[in-house]
Amino acid sequence: MFESPWHWAVVVVIGFILFFGWKQLPDMARSMGRSLRIFKTEMKGMTQDDEKREQDRAAAEPEAPRALPPAEVVRNDAAPKNAAPKNAAATNAARPRPTPAGSAEAPRRADAS
């Protein structure tokens, strides 16, 4: 008698109608549809949150250090006119030495050490 699955489906539908009543079935279907819609939007929101979290994490991670370009070599063949002398003794001889009292001594000569 009930060999086909369609017969069981008809019996289940008739049982729902008798058990829950004609008025409550559309309300139950509507509330089930709302629940599924809310569930779908929450799942979609979770995947978007995960994507945003991954983007934020990637932006927060420091970049790998990059190699600097090779330095430019500048040759100093000609000294500028206002350059200091290369001889340290000549530099010390040209400047007066300060004293504790605040007055300057006469400059010393490099050969009078």
Side-chain angles (χ1 to χ4, degrees), residues 35-52:
S35 300
L36 286 174
R37 191 176 318 122
I38 291 170
F39 180 74
K40 280 175 52 177
T41 56
E42 289 297 322
M43 291 300 292
K44 190 176 187 179
M46 285 177 56
T47 57
Q48 289 175 348
D49 288 345
D50 290 341
E51 291 171 358
K52 186 176 185 308

Side-chain angles (χ1 to χ4, degrees), residues 58-95:
E61 290 179 2
E63 293 183 14
R66 293 179 286 166
L68 294 174
E72 183 180 331
V73 178
V74 179
R75 295 189 54 173
N76 191 6
D77 291 337
K81 293 180 181 177
N82 298 333
K86 293 182 181 178
N87 187 354
T91 305
N92 288 339
R95 274 190 262 160

Side-chain angles (χ1 to χ4, degrees), residues 1-112:
M1 177 174 166
F2 293 110
E3 297 171 6
S4 173
W6 290 107
H7 291 115
W8 284 108
V10 170
V11 170
V12 169
V13 168
I14 291 174
F16 269 108
I17 292 172
L18 292 175
F19 187 71
F20 292 107
W22 189 257
K23 174 70 174 139
Q24 288 184 344
L25 285 176
D27 292 338
M28 285 191 330
R30 189 176 306 116
S31 67
M32 185 138 176
R34 286 181 187 157
S35 300
L36 286 174
R37 191 176 318 122
I38 291 170
F39 180 74
K40 280 175 52 177
T41 56
E42 289 297 322
M43 291 300 292
K44 190 176 187 179
M46 285 177 56
T47 57
Q48 289 175 348
D49 288 345
D50 290 341
E51 291 171 358
K52 186 176 185 308
R53 189 177 308 122
E54 288 297 322
Q55 288 174 353
D56 290 344
R57 184 177 299 146
E61 290 179 2
E63 293 183 14
R66 293 179 286 166
L68 294 174
E72 183 180 331
V73 178
V74 179
R75 295 189 54 173
N76 191 6
D77 291 337
K81 293 180 181 177
N82 298 333
K86 293 182 181 178
N87 187 354
T91 305
N92 288 339
R95 274 190 262 160
R97 294 180 53 184
T99 60
S103 64
E105 294 178 6
R108 290 185 173 180
R109 288 191 280 163
D111 58 340

